[in-house]
Amino acid sequence: MSTTSKTGPGKTGTGPGTPEQEQGLDAAGSRLSTAPTEEPPNLPSLGVIGWARWFWRQLTSMRVALLLLLLLSLAAIPGSLIPQTGIDQTKVADFRERHETLAPIYDKLGLFNVYSSVWFSAIYLLLFISLIGCIVPRTWQFVGQLRGRPPGAPRRLTRLPAHTTWRTGAEPEQIHRAALALLKKRRFRVHRVGDAVAAEKGYLREAGNLVFHLALIVMLIAFGWGQLFKSEGNKLVVEGSGFSNTLPQYDDFKSGNLFSADDLEPFSFHLEDFRGTYERSGPNKGTPRTYEADLTYSQGAYGEEEKTTVKVNEPLELGDAKVYLTSHGYAPVVTVRDGEGEIVFQDAVALLPLDGNVTSSGVVKVLDGYRNPEGKREQLGFQAFFVPTFGGSASGTMISQFPALDYPVLALNAYHGDLKADSGIPQSVYQMDKTKMKEFKDADGELFKKLLMPGETMELPNGAGSVTFEKDIKEWAQFQVVQEPGAGWALGGSVAAIGGLAASLFIQRRRVWVRATEGADGVTVVEMAGLGRSESAKVPEELGDLAAILYEQAPGAPDPEPGPDPGPDDGPDNDPDDGPEASSGPTDTDSRVTPAEGAEKQ
Amino acid sequence: MTPAAVTELAASTSLAAASNESLAEMSNVLIYSAMAVYTLAFFAYIAEWIFGSRSKVARTAAALTPRTQAKGAPAVTVRQEGGTAVLERPKVVVRAASGTRDVPDGPGAHGGDEQGDLFGRVAVSLTVLAFLLAFGGVLTRALSVERAPWGNMYEFNITISTTVVGVYLLLLALKKNVRWLGLFLTTTVLLDLGLAVTVLYTESDQLVPALHSYWLYIHVSTAILCGAVFYVGAFGVIMYLFKDSYENKLANGGKPSAFASSVLERLPAAASLDKFAYRINAAVFPLWTFTIIAGAIWAGDAWGRYWGWDPKETWSFITWVAYAGYLHARATAGWKGRKAAYLALAAFGCWLFNYYGVNIFVSGKHSYADVGLGVLQAAGF
Ligand code: HEM
């Protein structure tokens, strides 16, 4: 049927029937996207290779991609409802205690570690294999589309979702030239095929879509890389002391599987001063307003000393590492003397905050140099509680009323004996192993304890020595040092993803055809049609604009006969040799063009 | 250091938030006035629907039979007037793709009734006024606390309902066919504001302190905007589902109830509603992507890691994947139409859960302090 030539004298080109010249309606919408076509999941009958190919086809189909996406969102849910080891270990421990039967089951299913569990990883890895398997062929296809040219005009432009037509006195050749110029100016890719001009625009949409999906891969790899090589350590530093970035210096340290200690960025810093200010009044009384740590730091082995201030949301960046200020507390300076008045201990003792008003607790340990009144070597231990603002004897408790140093009080319990510090088991500096410690007793035979104001000294019973709470109370700041390679790539990937997405969603890929032919009566009939990848109001609008411009150059001519129903289908399609299908009703519906995607219906 | 403890520290680094009593007072007055005007608008929309039901729109099953022939027929693009062709601009004929029902859009709530239309216009004007009042309320609230107006659930609710109405008015200003949304939106906005002023009301100075980072401001403001737009989109989806089953019923010779017919006939066609919902959701999806990334950047500055699967982050991610699923579904054979619509609703459900559910059900970050004080008591102080 394609051998029929419906074109009049205006027809040029390679001859009738070439596929380029006279496109069927399906061809008109072809290659307007690179989305994979859906195949029904027919089971293959061929051997292993057949199965493999079938499996691959399924994996890279849109349907499976969609299912994997849904699966991924479902799989992410349990991790938000069940405590996760990677986020809060104490909560997990808590949960284990409370749910003794459930916890082992959860353990087996990896529910305390959802985001690194086998099944979660399996879903996203499958998704990303699917993604790669989808992107590679689509990219080739797209390159092919860029190299090729928009397909020629369908035979009957009137069957397209948007079309317009008019009769004019201008020559077909003249109209074709005007259309070429106009579409080129509008930045369409345009060429002439047969008796029509074919144009296409909006390739950026496809490019954007590919960039978006590629960017997702970049982000995943960057994230995975970061997880493998990241390191994260905490260090508590008291005012006046420092830190250098080596493994042994950390209080605690976590790292990814592929991290090695050599990866640590070389730097060191010294905490000069920590400042915290707090809301003084109102319902927010006690809320911190500023936390600032003044540091002197140097980078590399022989780096210059520099000064800086680190605040809560403003980390110090040193090469790959970022130094965050994460918390703070007080470190009262305590002096311990033995019975002879010799100083056996003098240091700032960092205490850990227990609440928002920095009620703090910790331990003072005197490990060496102390001899009891009998002259025997012993160790001393003090359980210490500290409040920056004491409630007064009225409140009667050691619970702080305000986080700033308004009325600092230190409370101590005293013990002596063996702290078991050299038992080989690492000890927390904030806890005391009391199994080999004896209580100092007061006059009533109770545990010896005292509240001290700054500058005050308490005498231990029986001339065992004294403890002084020095006036100079230091503060400490805790720093978290994080190295996460790949963060830059993740950021770059996400910017590309947004850009690609915007291009993909906001740009229409569409085609426009202009055909001018000389009708039987010698008057030129201009036909224009537009086709979008999805039906959108923009396509007819744009077509209208283009037509209006062309119309100016080729103004309308009167209708041949003022019949009741003169129209475009009476134009080229009504050529006598057009064959019977031109007027047949049923094929009319069948031959309507479905946009390649069909996502948006009119 | 656990992220929870870091949050605590970060959260407590507040801006100076001296509250200004009179501004706060003014904000309350403005919010109450907005509610009063929204109520008037609500009645005006009701009147629009009621008057609209008088005029029997002759949109029955006949209108739903495919008009292939009619549409397929040539369009008359050249008119004859006094012998000379007059054509200012060629008329573009648009036809539907195959397989689609060819149903025209309904005329809107007023159903072509003049009085109904008048009430509709009054309703829109009242909505504009109420929006301005509510906007003033949000603004004065923000000024009174000297920070962004989303420090607590009350502020969040008044901000998001105002944003929703803003989105609606913007669509109207862009000459989109969305006036039919008016009644539903004012209803829910009134409910939301009612809930806000009664249950959720918080004195203007009792605030969770704002954080020192402009990324957070960007993140939360775009999140609120996304929420408002997703909300409008979700409503489009719901109406699509109703209208679609209505059209299906008619097409299969069923007889919907008189009320359903009266209401649904006046709405745009299912295909238009579907497209409307898609456009809305697709347009805001890149912004939602950006919102999550802005949040990650902020988390990187505040917590030392940009992504840590904290419940809020996780649910943002779930919401994002669900919407991506919806967009995919529309490009996947066998998933277009109703199935995709259900996905869009599920995605919006995820968004809602993230903003309300996670705050209410998934919490308990502060158990740390209690444990600590227990130690203190055990030691005898
Ligand atoms: C990580 C998972 C994925 C996400 C988050 C994702 C997200 C998206 C989004 C948001 C769109 C909408 C953009 C548009 O409509 O132009 C889209 C489109 C698309 N995606 Fe994906 N995608 C993912 C995986 C995949 C996979 C595995 C495939 C291959 C089977 C795929 C193929 C496509 C195609 C062909 C389109 C264009 C659809 C169209 O032409 O409308 N995507 N994707």
Side-chain angles (χ1 to χ4, degrees), chain A residues 158 163 288 291 324 326 551 599, chain B residues 9 12 87 93 95 97 300 315 330:
Chain A
T158 45
H163 80 273
Y291 279 153
Y324 295 85
T326 55
Y551 186 80
Chain B
L9 180 69
S12 45
L87 187 75
V93 179
R95 57 198 289 176
W315 277 94
R330 299 191 50 109

Side-chain angles (χ1 to χ4, degrees), chain A residues 468-484:
Chain A
T468 308
F469 174 26
E470 302 293 347
K471 282 200 166 130
D472 173 30
I473 300 169
K474 294 202 165 158
E475 295 189 54
W476 55 258
Q478 190 179 42
F479 294 94
Q480 186 182 32
V481 181
V482 178
Q483 258 173 262
E484 188 163 16

Side-chain angles (χ1 to χ4, degrees), chain A residues 260-278:
Chain A
S260 89
D262 302 338
D263 296 338
L264 282 178
E265 194 75 26
F267 66 84
S268 62
F269 64 80
H270 191 88
L271 175 62
E272 306 294 341
D273 188 23
F274 177 88
R275 286 181 306 274
T277 57
Y278 307 90

Side-chain angles (χ1 to χ4, degrees), chain B residues 71-83:
Chain B
K71 271 247 173 164
V76 184
T77 50
V78 181
R79 275 176 287 138
Q80 270 211 288
E81 259 171 46

Side-chain angles (χ1 to χ4, degrees), chain A residues 80 87 115 158 161 163-165 234 288 291 313 324 326 385 478 494 535 544-545 551 592 594 599-601, chain B residues 1 9 12 14 77 87 89 91 93-98 275 279 293 300-302 304 309 314-315 330 336 376:
Chain A
S80 73
I87 300 171
Y115 306 108
T158 45
H163 80 273
T164 182
T165 177
N234 288 301
Y291 279 153
N313 276 334
Y324 295 85
T326 55
F385 292 95
Q478 190 179 42
S494 48
E535 270 182 50
D545 289 345
Y551 186 80
R592 288 169 157 216
T594 315
E600 287 181 62
K601 304 170 189 172
Chain B
M1 185 108 220
L9 180 69
S12 45
S14 78
T77 50
L87 187 75
R89 187 184 163 128
K91 194 171 142 245
V93 179
V94 181
R95 57 198 289 176
S98 65
K275 202 191 296 188
R279 291 245 168 89
I293 289 163
D301 281 353
W309 297 108
T314 306
W315 277 94
R330 299 191 50 109
K336 293 164 201 163
L376 190 76

Side-chain angles (χ1 to χ4, degrees), chain A residues 60 130-131 134 138 205 209 212-213 504 533 597, chain B residues 285 328:
Chain A
T60 55
S130 161
L131 188 50
C134 182
R138 284 182 62 201
R205 182 216 146 86
N209 191 282
F212 168 72
H213 285 89
S504 165
R533 192 178 143 284
E597 173 204 36
Chain B
F285 186 75
H328 260 226

Side-chain angles (χ1 to χ4, degrees), chain A residues 32-36 38 57-66 68-69 72 124 126-135 138 205-206 208-210 212-213 216-217 500-501 503-507 533-534 597 599, chain B residues 278 282 285 289 320-321 323-328 330-332:
Chain A
L32 198 45
S33 148
T34 56
E38 287 298 318
R57 284 237 181 93
Q58 290 305 310
L59 186 62
T60 55
S61 73
M62 286 297 278
R63 184 179 283 110
V64 171
L66 174 59
L68 287 171
L69 269 174
L72 183 68
Y124 75 72
L126 272 180
L127 184 56
F128 276 83
I129 293 171
S130 161
L131 188 50
I132 294 168
C134 182
I135 279 190
R138 284 182 62 201
R205 182 216 146 86
E206 210 67 27
N209 191 282
L210 291 171
F212 168 72
H213 285 89
L216 290 180
I217 297 179
L501 197 54
S504 165
L505 288 170
F506 299 142
I507 295 175
R533 192 178 143 284
S534 55
E597 173 204 36
Chain B
Y278 169 72
F285 186 75
T289 312
W320 184 77
V321 174
Y323 273 108
Y326 165 65
L327 295 181
H328 260 226
R330 299 191 50 109
T332 308

